Amino acid sequence: QAQVTPWMVVQPDFQYVLNPSGGMGDPSCPMRRIGNEAVFGLHTNVNF
């Protein structure tokens, strides 16, 4: 977490999803499997 201002806190979020489809094929190309994915986010808390 980082206190950006006295009333705002931000917290980064990173998730890495392994085998997101459980081995199923990609709907747009059934011969190819869906790969692993990285997801980045930012949580913001504002207090007034």
Side-chain angles (χ1 to χ4, degrees):
Q1 290 183 343
Q3 186 87 32
V4 179
T5 65
W7 47 269
M8 185 167 95
V9 176
V10 294
Q11 178 179 1
D13 183 29
F14 172 75
Q15 299 176 24
Y16 190 74
V17 183
L18 297 171
N19 201 12
S21 64
M24 299 292 292
D26 185 350
S28 62
C29 182
M31 298 303 292
R32 186 177 67 192
R33 295 172 70 184
I34 297 174
N36 299 338
E37 296 292 331
V39 180
F40 297 94
L42 185 66
H43 177 81
T44 305
N45 189 7
V46 178
N47 294 316
F48 287 102

